[in-house]
Amino acid sequence: MLSGAMHYFRTLPPQWPQRLAALRAMGLDTVETYVPWNLHEPRPGEYVFTGLTDVEGFLRAAADAGLRAIVRPGPYICAEWDNGGLPAWLRADGEIPLRCMDRRYLDAVDRWFDVLIPRLVPHLATRGGNVIMMQVENEYGSYGSDRAYLAHLRDGLRARGVDVPLFTSDGGTDLMLTGGNVPGVPATANFGSGAAGEFAALRRHRPDDPLFCMEFWCGWFGQWGRPAVTRPAADAAAALAEVLAAGASVNVYMAHGGTSFGFHAGANADGDLHDGVYRPQTTSYDYDAPLDERGAPTAKYRAFREILSRHAAAPPPEPPPPAPTLPPASLPVADTVRLLDCLPELTARTAETAVPPTFEELGQAYGLAVYRATLPGPRPELPLSVRGLRDRAHLLVDGEPRAVLERDGRTGAPVAVPGGGAEVTLVVEAMGRINYGPLLGERKGITGGVLHERQYVHGWRTASVPLDDIARVPWGRARRSAGPAFHRAWLEVAAPADAFVALPGWGKGYVWVNGFCLGRYWEAAGPQRALYLPWPLLAPGRNEIVVLELDEPADPVPDRRVEIRDRPGEAR
């Protein structure tokens, strides 16, 4: 089996046919995808299966392209996706155990699978469709050892009508292979090189299972503040050839990475598994894949096509061309309004509590929360500190910006209080939940309280600002506040085409095009320097680009501009 990974939720539906045809032309006969639970059930009992979440439409498009399909329904998927695909609301009422035989967790999983799996069953190969395999959980040996949990998921898939082969996938270590496999279900291995050793490890545990590299890592994901990770095409191609020379099946991860649009890019924790350094991932999920972020073939694509063609049943067709690109442009900012001046329109709900609530307690998964409390005075200058900050905050005192706080960096600042007291404002940003390892399931916001010296600060008024509808931004409102700000520019196009939005000289924030959130930018940190703008988001004529700049200076920056580029950075 010659498969390649492409996640339907990381590419816009009008682009699926071109991407899938390109995979077929690379010599693949199968496409693999995860299913992100949190995208399909953003709130308990509220299910979405349209647009980016139209998994059935994706499977039909794959069939039209001549591709079979492998589906990995989770419930956990990792995928460098927020919380590994688990909904944030699972822990709204407490830190319940995840990925094990806990009834509270399993009840939610079973309700979700009662909705999802019946939608997938008609697409099984046994029912005339193109889905030939389905996964039980995902890389479970990297997390737990609850065999009863895996058996519950296995039996649940069978009971709901899944009669195609099932499988598990794990790294090729004794720890992972013994924890992640389940009786009666073939095991597969995930690796990027050293096929002989990896398959030998798999054979020690599963001597009778067919050899399958379910994730052949041909590249890697990006993390903010760290250099981009790339893999030479020749090195990746040689490793792929070794897998195929062993007579094994392969799933190239990723064949096309795409984009973690909106707020859905996840995070990792480096170092100590139980208290590691937080490493949020970039919006781009290019992955240094054979097809780049906008679906254009790379040198790696051409090298893989040559190797895969030797193993394909028939010569692959010619690759389809990628979409054209817009000409470069520099757009002036037309309108600006401060975030704190928009709270009446953008606040989803408010809460008055003794201690700061988490995002989950506010019923919020993503975006911002604005916490406000009053410090009594007079007091001398004493340290104000945020405990359990998840993940980044702008501190304002009496409306004036004082400091930027980060979970693994500066978490406080000195604050003096005059006789009449001082208002403390914390604009807290969630930057992606950890998607791998024992820290899975973390809450966002302020999780441990705020102290002025040793004294807890009580009496908080919190605004939930999920940033899910920026059409409510009141442009033209006179400035009354400082801090983060929205900016708007206009892009005129004759015909829709691909582009990249770059913000040189800006700091950190989010970009929307015609109301669709492209994702996070962090110009000051890198390595990503531009956000992919897919052509289906544009219309002939005038198009709106909105930027929320969180690291807004107190004084406006003169002649700030939004750049339109035809590539994300250096050519590949």
Side-chain angles (χ1 to χ4, degrees), residues 336-347 368-372 394-401 423-428 461 463 465 467 473-474 477-486 548-550 552:
T336 296
V337 61
R338 298 281 171 156
L339 168 73
L340 296 181
D341 293 336
C342 303
L343 291 187
E345 289 79 13
L346 297 182
T347 298
L368 309 172
V370 179
Y371 299 85
R372 283 175 165 154
H394 287 74
L395 168 65
L396 296 88
V397 179
D398 285 333
E400 293 301 317
E423 183 183 66
V424 171
T425 300
L426 287 159
V427 181
V428 177
R461 305 172 303 282
V465 187
L467 298 175
V473 172
R477 179 165 292 173
R479 173 182 170 182
R480 301 189 301 273
S481 303
F486 289 99
L548 172 57
E549 171 59 58
L550 296 172
E552 183 76 7

Side-chain angles (χ1 to χ4, degrees), residues 472-560:
R472 298 198 297 263
V473 172
W475 300 105
R477 179 165 292 173
R479 173 182 170 182
R480 301 189 301 273
S481 303
F486 289 99
H487 302 270
R488 180 164 63 173
W490 299 98
L491 171 64
E492 293 280 349
V493 302
D498 277 348
F500 291 85
V501 178
L503 298 153
W506 297 60
K508 183 181 190 301
Y510 299 84
V511 176
W512 290 261
V513 173
N514 293 332
F516 182 94
C517 187
L518 297 184
R520 299 182 181 93
Y521 69 90
W522 199 351
E523 174 67 19
Q528 184 175 354
R529 298 299 179 190
L531 291 171
Y532 173 52
L533 169 52
W535 66 264
L537 296 178
L538 297 172
R542 193 164 82 152
N543 295 266
E544 179 190 61
I545 299 178
V546 174
V547 180
L548 172 57
E549 171 59 58
L550 296 172
D551 293 355
E552 183 76 7
D555 298 320
V557 175
D559 196 32
R560 178 172 265 168

Side-chain angles (χ1 to χ4, degrees), residues 343-365:
L343 291 187
E345 289 79 13
L346 297 182
T347 298
R349 61 170 293 193
T350 57
E352 295 189 7
T353 55
V355 298
T358 65
F359 275 43
E360 291 73 19
E361 289 166 335
L362 291 168
Q364 174 181 351

Side-chain angles (χ1 to χ4, degrees), residues 105-197:
Y105 170 72
L106 280 184
D107 284 348
V109 171
D110 287 340
R111 285 192 300 269
W112 162 232
F113 273 17
D114 283 344
V115 173
L116 172 66
I117 303 305
R119 289 177 172 269
L120 301 179
V121 165
H123 298 275
L124 300 178
T126 50
R127 314 296 174 92
N130 61 331
V131 176
I132 57 172
M133 295 175 69
M134 197 172 292
Q135 183 171 271
V136 178
E137 237 266 3
N138 181 60
E139 292 186 318
Y140 187 68
S142 302
Y143 182 84
S145 58
D146 194 336
R147 295 289 188 87
Y149 167 62
L150 294 180
H152 176 88
L153 296 179
R154 174 200 64 197
D155 296 344
L157 291 173
R158 291 300 189 208
R160 292 178 177 91
V162 177
D163 53 3
V164 296
L166 302 176
F167 67 95
T168 60
S169 66
D170 285 286
T173 69
D174 291 338
L175 174 77
M176 297 175 184
L177 288 169
T178 55
N181 64 56
V182 60
V185 176
T188 65
N190 299 340
F191 57 85
S193 59

